[in-house]
Amino acid sequence: MPMLGAVLTPHPPVLLPEVGKGREREIAATGQAMHTAAREVARWNPDVLIISSPHTILYGDYFHIAPGSGAAGDMSAFGAPQVRIAARYDVPLREETVRLAQAAGLEAGTLGQRDPSLDHGVLIPLYFLRQAGIDCPIVRMGLSSFSPLDHYRLGQCVAQAAEALGRRAVFVASGDLSHKLKSDGPYGFAPEGPVFDEAVTQAMASGDFLRFLTMDASLCERAAECGLRSFQMMAGALDGLAVNPQLLSHEGTFGVGYGVALFPVTGRDETRRFAAACEQARRARLQARRAGEDPWVRLARLSLETYVRTGRPLERLPDGLPPELTGQAAGAFVSLHIDGRLRGCIGTISPTQKNVAWEIVQNAVSACSRDPRFPPVRTAELDELEYSVDVLGRPEPVDSPALLNPKQYGVIVSCGHRRGLLLPDLDGVDTVEQQLDIARQKGGIRAGEPCQIQRFQVVRHL
């Protein structure tokens, strides 16, 4: 059987004694679990390790698979340049994986390498695996902003390639869990952090890989997770295989979740094919969300779909709109997402149309066709889009950041003719400092430049 199993590992640099200098003892359970997992993988005697890492080159619209014959890296960025590891790449397995991925319609390959060095998400698992005596070639894979199902499908391609070439392979899914477990941690606390870690570790312990594929995207964003897409790819590599799930440890000592799990393959199991169930759950979620759309969102959808399908804007408003839409004017933003990823967002700070309804009609078209960060929305994407509409209140100046609250107020930062706006209550924006930094960046305003700050409230429609 080509896939021998998988190991799920964290990658905190402090785990290495050369970096931790004693602090590694505070997460001794994680270190012990890493040694245990490495010894077990060594017992399997693999021909190749497939390692996915969130810190390998990441593109939003492409799966990067490291090219060349091999690479090396060290921990100099963490004060330990003496920790250096070199690895050979299994070139035939990489090329077969790329071929199968592209044949499956996945955007994957070896293009766009910016830095050939092994990243710490690869180095740290290899550190323990090398200590256990494993020195086989590797295939090194990055993640993307594609859907959970696409990560799963790429994992399937890995397993198919290993089978075609007769490789005895182990998948190494590198990734930390939530970064928001403690208020005194480096990233602060969010209630979603412990919820995320509990859900993921339950999936590790039970082997219920469908949970990796169907977690709420907003929860994951607010939890500031690191490794979920790596775990989704691992799940695909074990598609149709029975495993003996073993959660070896979970710690959050430093405010970041570290989980170690082992999944030795014990045979085949046709009930453990999760792609169809993932797609079914996704469709059900989209249908439920669409059924619950209010008139603001339904109008944005009608405007966008009319434009994408016909190339022409909506010419008249539908009958029966609420007076709040037709009887007042205000700025409005239309935001588009697919699988939790932003797909477009355009809006107006103050009204440019005679009422909110026409503001939404105009901005829905702009969101799908004029956001410079994204290509125009295609007809094939229409059924995948999730919409939100924010109707803006009147901006008011503030004298101090102390009067801001990123969950309650949006901000406008102005410096001369440059202006950056950020909506309130966005996933991953938890502090005033974050909010102001992002708004400055959007306006091309450097930190330290004198600027004016305004705040505003919104009514958000989903």
Side-chain angles (χ1 to χ4, degrees):
M1 190 168 297
M3 293 305 303
L4 303 175
V7 56
L8 187 155
T9 81
H11 48 245
V14 71
L15 190 61
L16 308 189
E18 296 87 344
V19 176
K21 295 179 170 44
R23 293 196 71 201
E24 72 277 4
R25 291 192 289 270
E26 298 178 53
I27 49 172
T30 299
Q32 182 58 49
M34 292 285 280
H35 283 297
T36 298
R39 288 193 296 267
E40 181 65 12
V41 172
R43 195 178 65 80
W44 299 345
N45 191 28
D47 300 324
V48 62
L49 303 173
I50 298 99
I51 308 179
S52 61
S53 166
H55 300 285
T56 289
I57 295 168
L58 185 150
Y59 292 102
D61 57 355
Y62 188 73
F63 287 112
H64 178 79
I65 304 175
S69 59
D74 61 48
M75 297 296 288
S76 58
F78 304 97
Q82 71 274 26
V83 179
R84 179 175 176 81
I85 295 175
R88 296 165 289 128
Y89 289 149
D90 187 329
V91 176
L93 181 60
R94 178 187 66 216
E95 298 306 313
E96 180 66 4
T97 298
V98 170
R99 186 189 72 78
L100 290 170
Q102 292 177 350
L106 297 171
E107 295 291 336
T110 57
L111 302 177
Q113 176 163 262
R114 298 188 295 269
D115 181 358
S117 302
L118 300 180
D119 61 276
H120 74 276
V122 173
L123 286 170
I124 291 169
L126 278 180
Y127 177 96
F128 289 91
L129 291 163
R130 289 290 173 82
Q131 287 190 345
I134 300 172
D135 192 24
C136 60
I138 71 170
V139 173
R140 176 181 170 222
M141 309 182 71
L143 312 178
S144 78
S145 293
F146 290 134
S147 69
L149 185 56
D150 283 343
H151 285 78
Y152 188 89
R153 291 172 60 215
L154 183 57
Q156 289 177 298
C157 293
V158 167
Q160 291 164 11
E163 184 163 18
L165 298 182
R167 298 288 197 270
R168 291 164 46 85
V170 171
F171 199 101
V172 181
S174 177
D176 298 334
L177 307 186
S178 171
H179 286 62
K180 297 274 192 175
L181 297 182
K182 286 189 172 183
S183 58
D184 60 351
Y187 306 95
F189 175 79
E192 293 83 0
V195 173
F196 176 86
D197 272 34
E198 176 67 17
V200 169
T201 52
Q202 284 183 3
M204 295 176 191
S206 65
D208 182 5
F209 293 164
L210 184 59
R211 297 189 70 172
F212 292 150
L213 301 170
T214 56
M215 293 193 68
D216 179 76
S218 179
L219 169 71
C220 296
E221 183 72 25
R222 291 177 184 269
E225 62 82 19
C226 167
L228 184 61
R229 289 168 292 175
S230 198
F231 310 158
Q232 292 163 352
M233 201 182 294
M234 176 203 74
L238 300 181
D239 178 68
L241 298 175
V243 297
N244 175 23
Q246 302 170 33
L247 175 60
L248 301 181
S249 72
H250 173 249
E251 293 186 290
T253 306
F254 302 132
V256 179
Y258 305 138
V260 182
L262 200 61
F263 303 99
V265 169
T266 59
R268 297 194 179 274
D269 185 347
E270 290 300 313
T271 68
R272 293 185 58 78
R273 296 191 183 276
F274 298 108
C278 172
E279 181 62 16
Q280 183 179 5
R282 179 170 172 270
R283 290 293 172 196
R285 179 179 55 80
L286 287 171
Q287 290 170 6
R289 182 176 175 116
R290 185 161 185 164
E293 291 175 348
D294 70 9
W296 284 254
V297 174
R298 288 201 299 271
L299 179 61
R301 182 184 290 276
L302 175 64
S303 172
L304 187 151
E305 291 188 350
T306 299
Y307 181 79
V308 172
R309 294 186 194 281
T310 70
R312 299 173 59 85
L314 193 68
E315 296 181 353
R316 62 180 297 272
L317 297 177
D319 296 332
L321 292 177
E324 296 91 339
L325 274 168
T326 58
Q328 62 184 24
F333 274 72
V334 175
S335 301
L336 313 173
H337 288 81
I338 294 180
D339 289 317
R341 310 184 320 272
L342 186 66
R343 184 60 180 86
C345 178
I346 295 288
T348 44
I349 298 173
S350 55
T352 64
Q353 304 294 317
K354 64 182 180 180
N355 57 34
V356 174
W358 283 112
E359 204 79 37
I360 292 171
V361 168
Q362 171 182 281
N363 291 337
V365 171
S366 296
C368 80
S369 62
R370 299 179 190 128
D371 188 330
R373 297 168 293 181
F374 303 97
V377 169
R378 298 172 288 107
T379 304
E381 296 176 285
L382 293 179
D383 289 341
E384 316 300 319
L385 288 175
E386 298 178 74
Y387 296 71
S388 64
V389 175
D390 290 292
V391 179
L392 276 61
R394 187 180 300 275
E396 58 182 7
V398 296
D399 297 326
S400 167
L403 298 174
L404 299 176
N405 181 331
K407 300 303 179 186
Q408 182 180 0
Y409 297 107
V411 295
I412 303 168
V413 180
S414 304
C415 181
H417 295 295
R418 291 169 291 160
R419 185 164 61 175
L421 177 147
L422 198 67
L423 295 169
D425 197 26
L426 297 179
D427 291 343
V429 181
D430 301 310
T431 68
V432 170
E433 290 75 18
Q434 285 177 305
Q435 189 182 46
L436 290 174
D437 284 347
I438 297 170
R440 286 192 193 97
Q441 292 170 22
K442 293 179 72 173
I445 302 168
R446 295 187 302 274
E449 284 193 88
C451 58
Q452 293 77 48
I453 302 172
Q454 295 171 288
R455 72 181 187 183
F456 60 90
Q457 292 183 296
V458 305
V459 177
R460 180 160 294 164
H461 300 268
L462 301 172

